[in-house]
Amino acid sequence: MIKVITYGTYDLLHYGHIRLLERAKALGDYLIVGVTADDFDKTRGKINVQQTLMERIEAVRATGIADEIIVEEYEGQKIDDIIKYNVDIFTVGSDWKGKFDYLNEYCKVVYLDRTEGISSTEIRAKNRKLRIGTIGNEGLCEKFRKEIAFVNGVEYSEFSGDMSNVDALYIASLPENHYNDVKNAILHKKHVICESPIATKKEQCEELIKLAEDNNIILIDGIKTAYSTAYKRLIMLAKSGSIGEIVSIDSVCTSKRINPGDNLDNEQNSICAWGPTAMLPIFQLAGVNLENIEITTKLIDSNKNFDGFTRISFRFLDSVASIKIAKAAKSEGELIITGTKGYIYVPAPWWKTDYFEIRYENQNENKKYFYQLDGEGIRYEIVAFARAVEHKKKNYYISDDISIAIAGVIGKFNNKEYIRLGKGDINE
Ligand code: CTP
């Protein structure tokens, strides 16, 4: 029996793909099709893929041409597969001519003529693009606009107040303006990615989430870390019991950007700038049912309720957690998740993580994990957003209860439910 193998993304399956699969099958008796996983595609620059891995696998299966479908997950897997499946012929389209000659050492390599005039890229380009405008902090907006360019299916559209120019808005205004800005966008039927917190009060956040639902609008929380591959994996590993029962989650996020005497008018305080990111792994792992919370802060400007440094201790039924956040102090920005069997360690700056370790008492059992991180996670956030809008279904990288819990903690801070460090007026 002659075994043939071929690989591809098979996004929005088209006639060119089917012709390739038919000819690949005709080269032998048994055809294995490798469909590239989402993360593998990202490293090849195909972040624009519109269908999920399962949808693409289903589409290939539905052709009835493949005898077996596998997932291609890592660089160098082709050699492993060829050996593992005893493959006689490797084939791909002529657009790859020469690229896979190195496989000749393991099996025969055949390049089949590519079908002219059709490709997934062209089909994606024909679909109307989602026009995203930006509001607020120029630095954040600029980063966001740069990343839009890497994602297919979306484009930047300048927004100067005219809602007809955009289908969606990225909101990075000052947190106290989020509620009005998000509400306004939703009422104009615009989809929203809002920098976290979505609102500075729990009730307002709940109201906006409900309003978005009622209007069939996608509203997502813009904590970019949540969308990065390494972060998602570490949360999954922690949840799957790899470090035993979780007893403590401790995260630190600081930047030393503010100095005494600085004009704070257009600055976010530390709790809004860093709090959501620092709290994300805590609520994702410990849940949102708090038994107790204690906030200690060092204010820079008490009139503005502007904190330079804040520490929060959380107690849940089965675990504790802490965050240290600052815009006017500096510390080691690491994340440590303590478990009964071992711990997960993410080195600074953990919120831009592409690497983490699981460590045990017996160091020989330690494991290191590396992932690709492009665009600080913003690029993946835009992909997730565009997919959610396209499928008219929110994807739960950050679930609503977590957005609400974050807004709740910030609301407490705004109500001055904290202990203030240092001399001066406390809780005035
Ligand atoms: N293919 C082909 N003829 C086409 C398009 C693709 O023969 N018109 C082949 C490719 O050479 C590859 C397989 O189909 O062997 C899967 O290709 P894939 O990269 O998934 O599809 P493309 O349409 O080329 O995708 P893109 O436009 O994103 O590059």
Side-chain angles (χ1 to χ4, degrees), residues 82 146 201 343:
I82 289 168
K146 262 195 196 147
K201 283 194 183 101
Y343 68 98

Side-chain angles (χ1 to χ4, degrees), residues 260-325:
D262 280 359
N263 179 356
L264 301 175
D265 286 349
N266 288 314
E267 289 285 346
Q268 294 188 47
N269 58 8
S270 304
I271 184 84
C272 285
W274 281 123
T277 303
M279 285 187 264
L280 181 71
I282 294 174
F283 289 131
Q284 282 186 323
L285 292 173
V288 295
N289 296 324
L290 269 170
E291 297 278 308
N292 186 50
I293 177 168
E294 195 181 287
I295 307 176
T296 312
T297 190
K298 192 162 177 72
L299 295 181
I300 298 183
D301 183 334
S302 56
N303 287 326
K304 292 197 163 81
N305 208 26
F306 200 109
D307 59 329
F309 168 86
T310 294
R311 196 191 69 183
I312 307 183
S313 296
F314 304 81
R315 183 163 54 78
F316 300 88
L317 200 59
D318 299 314
S319 59
V320 291
S322 73
I323 65 171
K324 271 195 288 190
I325 47 177

